[in-house]
Amino acid sequence: MLKNVFLGISILFVLIYFSASILYDTKYVVYIKPVIIPAFICYAFCAFKERLNSHYLIFVFFFYAGEIGILFMEQSPIMYKFGLLFYFFSYLSLINLAYPYIKFVNLIKEIKLYSFFIFLLLTVLLVFILKIIFDSEIDFYLNTIIVLNALSAIFLVVTAFILLQEIFNRKTVYYFFGVFCIFFSDVISAVNFYLLDDFYLNLLERVLHFSGFFLFYLFIIQKEENKFS
């Protein structure tokens, strides 16, 4: 079947991407990334077309556009800025993806004390990362985009916690861990780029990045079900 062909292509390019990044120069490996997401989305359309709503497709568009923009980090600073801006819109799309499942009437009584603690911890972490970035010599527009991305990342994590507390089932667990994969992927990427350049951190960032994207796919195709007991 056609969906199996697209799934096979996706798996093949993921394996090539990760194995090549270990064995060869990572500068050339990054150009394999743009093939993976389109092949996987073709599989998703063949397998679960009726469950891929417009909110998810908007997220995929901005996420993929961000991937393309990031590829031109060294060649074109403007494309790199647009890539980061597209990531910002992909974060907003993810937040929008969760809101239909949240009942704001019960929001206050559902929020636990540990949620505020984790929110505060993540905020401090992001402030630390932003300080490292701003100590580098980068322009005003890039600073602004980075701040927008950091704020949207915090709101995305908060949304994930609220959703998990509102509805604790397999679907929301996928969303929760998908958010944390994307969040820590970005944190590791910033640390790796501005503070140190470590091969294993770079590899971990890629694993988290693709894991997050796959978990959001599982979230969107997962049928509604009862809460875990």
Side-chain angles (χ1 to χ4, degrees), residues 11 18 27 35 38 40 46 70-72 81 114 116 145 168 171 173-174 184 192 199 215 224:
I11 294 172
F18 282 107
K27 289 188 298 184
V35 183
F40 184 77
C46 293
I70 294 298
L71 290 179
F72 297 92
K81 290 171 190 174
Y114 67 82
F116 288 107
I145 295 171
F168 183 55
K171 189 177 183 73
V173 167
Y174 286 147
F184 283 107
N192 215 28
F199 169 79
L215 285 167
E224 297 291 334

Side-chain angles (χ1 to χ4, degrees), residues 192-217:
N192 215 28
F193 183 78
Y194 293 100
L195 195 59
L196 53 90
D197 186 13
D198 183 78
F199 169 79
Y200 295 104
L201 277 180
N202 205 7
L203 187 62
L204 177 61
E205 182 269 327
R206 292 189 183 118
V207 171
L208 290 173
H209 195 72
F210 280 110
S211 297
F213 182 82
F214 183 68
L215 285 167
F216 292 128
Y217 162 74

Side-chain angles (χ1 to χ4, degrees), residues 13 16-17 20 25-36 64 67-76 206 210:
F13 275 102
I16 292 172
Y17 177 74
D25 193 336
T26 55
K27 289 188 298 184
Y28 305 107
V29 173
V30 294
Y31 295 102
I32 301 173
K33 287 177 71 175
V35 183
I36 298 172
Y64 184 66
E67 292 279 286
I68 298 298
I70 294 298
L71 290 179
F72 297 92
M73 181 187 302
E74 297 180 0
Q75 296 91 337
S76 174
R206 292 189 183 118
F210 280 110

Side-chain angles (χ1 to χ4, degrees), residues 45-100:
F45 260 104
C46 293
F48 299 100
K49 181 181 179 180
E50 68 284 355
R51 299 186 197 174
L52 305 182
N53 60 40
S54 58
H55 299 300
Y56 175 74
L57 294 178
I58 290 171
F59 156 69
V60 170
F61 170 78
F62 284 122
F63 188 86
Y64 184 66
E67 292 279 286
I68 298 298
I70 294 298
L71 290 179
F72 297 92
M73 181 187 302
E74 297 180 0
Q75 296 91 337
S76 174
I78 294 176
M79 284 293 292
Y80 176 63
K81 290 171 190 174
F82 271 110
L84 291 178
L85 194 60
F86 285 135
Y87 274 136
F88 166 71
F89 287 116
S90 74
Y91 290 161
L92 295 185
S93 303
L94 284 175
I95 294 171
N96 188 49
L97 201 62
Y99 273 179

Side-chain angles (χ1 to χ4, degrees), residues 104-120:
F104 290 95
V105 177
N106 302 325
L107 185 58
I108 301 299
K109 62 182 180 181
E110 290 287 339
I111 296 178
K112 307 293 191 302
L113 184 60
Y114 67 82
S115 300
F116 288 107
F117 173 75
I118 293 174
F119 171 71
L120 181 63

